[in-house]
């Protein structure tokens, strides 16, 4: 028996010409690529916006208007990212045979090819990382040690940068391919093989289905069809729960009858029981919880405007307020509300949700709810308001 030689092995590896599907080709790849590019641009910009809302630079003051802005941008972020997944898989399929192209001869050609391949590897690696980490974040599963927000945010620059390089390098091919009709030849002898148009349509249908199956986590009228929607309707009072009282370690302290809200400004402090808060003029507003993890839902909140509460310690409505909660473990136990949001009469210390006493998992005895604010900062189980001087 003769051992196979390198040439034998090489002969067994397929060549690009061995893949016969007529559907493949620049016309298909460029059309898929255009759709992916549009989705990536939306995803990148809404992601950037989310970072701005999450950690707003000192020189910028964000408005509480439009009320639903963060809900819309975060919803679009998740929808555009989800839509890309089937399109990217189809695009990978369309260029897959090129993986088997043999390296060219000559040092210069080899170097150019190596560079091109390396740039595609960065493009694919970063894109897949973005989609995979984003999807796991939506389902609330963090099987890693690193900070999701910082890593997902940093890798976004690598991804968008490599997309731009890729588009720049391929621009002549893209322009030519988009100028040609999708179908350039009459049906071939093999009528059963899918046409380019069929593959393209299938990819778009799959992308649309992926959106339909998940978008219900933000879009109310899709809730019934969104089977994969991560937060379909769980949680009391028709609102999903991000972290329960037990998980936050506030299960007992939140229900303690001796609870009182401590409000301080400079040297002045007042303590308000829940009955004291209920005795103040109540306001009701319909405002959304828009979680950074993707889901969002509007609800009717009743409570006392934060500016009325801090007026009791002599603070004007335009001052920043830091809220602290009973939470002892984990992140998001406190948040800052900037002056222009405090001034908004819809910024409430909520006592009721959808007409009922706030459930302990939604933040009883009282929680913050403010317009156009990422969910993580809608602090639950509030027990202290500190007016900043
Ligand atoms: N104290 C405290 N408040 C919190 C959180 C938390 O972990 N601790 N989670 C926040 C997040 S991430 C979201 S999306 C909203 C969800 O509110 P809900 O559970 O009432 O729907 O609460 C916010 N308030
Ligand atoms: Mo959240």
């Amino acid at each position: 028996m003769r051992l196979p030689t390198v040439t034998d092995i090489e002969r067994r590896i397929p060549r690009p010409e061995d893949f016969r599907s007529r559907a493949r080709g620049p016309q298909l790849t460029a059309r898929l690529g255009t759709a992916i590019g549009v989705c990536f641009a939306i995803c990148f910009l809404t992601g950037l916006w989310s970072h701005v809302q999450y950690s707003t630079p000192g020189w910028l003051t964000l408005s509480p208007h439009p009320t639903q802005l963060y809900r819309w941008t975060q919803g679009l972020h998740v929808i555009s990212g989800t839509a890309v997944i089937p399109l990217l898989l189809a695009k990978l399929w369309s260029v897959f045979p090129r993986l088997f192209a043999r390296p060219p001869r000559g040092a210069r050609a080899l170097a150019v090819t190596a560079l091109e391949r390396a740039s595609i590897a960065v493009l694919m690696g970063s894109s897949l990382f973005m989609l995979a980490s984003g999807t796991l974040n939506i389902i609330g599963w963090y099987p890693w040690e690193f900070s999701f927000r910082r890593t997902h945010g940093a890798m976004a620059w690598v991804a968008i940068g490599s997309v731009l390089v890729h588009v720049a390098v391929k621009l002549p091919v893209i322009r030519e391919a988009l100028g040609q009709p999708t179908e350039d030849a009459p049906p071939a002898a093999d009528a059963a093989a899918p046409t380019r148009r069929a593959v393209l349509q299938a990819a778009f249908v799959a992308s649309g289905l992926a959106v339909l199956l998940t978008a219900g986590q933000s879009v109310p009228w899709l809730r019934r069809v969104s089977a994969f929607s991560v937060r379909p309707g769980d949680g009391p009072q028709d609102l999903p729960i991000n972290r329960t009282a037990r998980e936050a370690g506030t299960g007992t302290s939140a229900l303690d009858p001796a609870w009182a809200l401590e409000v301080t400004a400079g040297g002045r402090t007042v303590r308000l029981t829940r009955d004291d808060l209920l005795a103040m003029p109540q306001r009701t507003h319909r405002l959304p919880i828009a979680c950074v993890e993707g889901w969002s839902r509007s609800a009717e909140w009743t409570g006392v405007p934060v500016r009325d509460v801090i007026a009791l310690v002599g603070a004007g409505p335009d001052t920043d307020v830091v809220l602290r909660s009973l939470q002892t473990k984990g992140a998001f136990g406190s948040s800052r509300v900037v002056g222009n949001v405090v001034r908004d009469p819809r910024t409430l210390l909520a006592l009721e949700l959808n007409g009922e006493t706030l459930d302990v998992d939604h933040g009883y005895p009282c929680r913050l709810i403010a317009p156009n604010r990422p969910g993580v900062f809608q602090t639950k189980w509030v027990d202290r308001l500190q007016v900043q001087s």
Side-chain angles (χ1 to χ4, degrees), residues 249-272:
T250 62
T252 332
S253 55
L255 296 172
D256 184 349
W259 174 90
L261 177 73
E262 194 181 282
V263 189
T264 49
R268 290 178 69 177
T269 300
V270 293
R271 289 172 63 80
L272 302 165

Side-chain angles (χ1 to χ4, degrees), residues 242 291-292 376:
N242 176 266
C291 183
V292 292
V376 275

Side-chain angles (χ1 to χ4, degrees), residues 29-346:
T29 312
R31 281 171 174 82
L32 289 168
T34 305
I36 293 171
V38 171
C39 289
F40 266 14
I42 296 172
C43 216
F44 180 75
L45 293 175
T46 49
L48 263 191
W49 180 249
S50 184
H51 283 270
V52 170
Q53 284 234 324
Y54 189 93
S55 51
T56 311
W59 49 266
L60 188 67
T61 307
L62 293 183
S63 165
H65 295 278
T67 311
Q68 309 260 347
L69 180 63
Y70 187 70
R71 182 177 195 196
W72 272 89
T73 58
Q74 201 59 2
L76 271 178
H77 186 69
V78 169
I79 286 173
S80 54
T82 308
V84 155
I85 297 172
L87 299 176
L88 192 68
L89 292 177
K91 188 164 188 269
L92 282 179
W93 174 84
S94 82
V95 293
F96 174 65
R98 304 196 49 195
L99 203 58
F100 301 100
R102 301 302 190 261
R105 292 184 194 284
R108 203 186 133 84
L110 201 61
V112 170
T113 306
L115 260 178
E116 198 212 341
R117 294 264 154 151
S119 80
I120 302 247
V122 173
L123 173 68
M124 286 320 306
S126 56
S127 306
L128 291 176
F129 175 84
M130 294 308 289
L131 297 177
S133 59
T135 306
L136 292 181
N137 179 253
I138 296 170
I139 63 175
W141 184 34
Y142 298 88
W144 49 65
E145 295 282 318
F146 54 78
S147 148
F148 168 79
R149 189 179 71 87
R150 288 175 58 187
T151 317
H152 193 76
M155 195 59 98
W157 290 98
V158 178
I160 206 74
S162 56
V163 167
L164 290 177
V165 169
H166 183 65
V167 171
V169 168
K170 297 282 180 191
L171 204 54
V173 185
I174 297 171
R175 288 176 67 162
E176 194 192 328
L178 290 181
Q180 293 164 347
T182 319
E183 238 47 81
D184 54 3
D190 184 2
T195 61
R196 212 167 265 156
R197 187 163 292 132
V199 174
L200 200 58
Q201 280 167 355
F204 284 127
V205 167
S207 171
L209 271 179
V211 167
L212 275 183
L213 289 173
T214 51
Q217 61 177 328
S218 295
V219 186
W221 45 270
L222 281 179
R223 221 179 281 163
R224 280 160 167 271
V225 289
S226 285
F228 294 163
S229 160
V230 185
R231 321 273 168 145
D234 47 351
Q237 302 173 325
D238 198 30
L239 184 74
I241 288 175
N242 176 266
R243 182 184 278 152
T244 62
R246 209 162 63 95
E247 283 162 354
T250 62
T252 332
S253 55
L255 296 172
D256 184 349
W259 174 90
L261 177 73
E262 194 181 282
V263 189
T264 49
R268 290 178 69 177
T269 300
V270 293
R271 289 172 63 80
L272 302 165
T273 64
R274 202 165 186 281
D275 284 340
D276 293 335
L277 288 169
L278 280 169
M280 294 174 71
Q282 306 288 301
R283 298 263 204 147
T284 298
H285 293 290
R286 194 165 178 80
L287 294 172
I289 294 273
C291 183
V292 292
E293 284 168 333
W295 67 271
S296 60
R297 181 87 60 92
S298 276
E300 214 145 83
W301 305 90
T302 303
V304 191
V306 170
R307 66 183 204 180
D308 293 357
V309 178
I310 62 169
L312 298 178
V313 284
D318 277 308
T319 34
D320 289 14
V321 174
V322 170
L323 313 168
R324 287 180 208 286
S325 72
L326 297 165
Q327 184 176 331
T328 47
K329 50 185 177 187
F332 314 126
S334 111
S335 70
R336 171 184 282 262
V337 190
V338 292
N340 66 329
V341 178
V342 171
R343 187 187 336 132
D344 194 307
R346 297 167 303 162

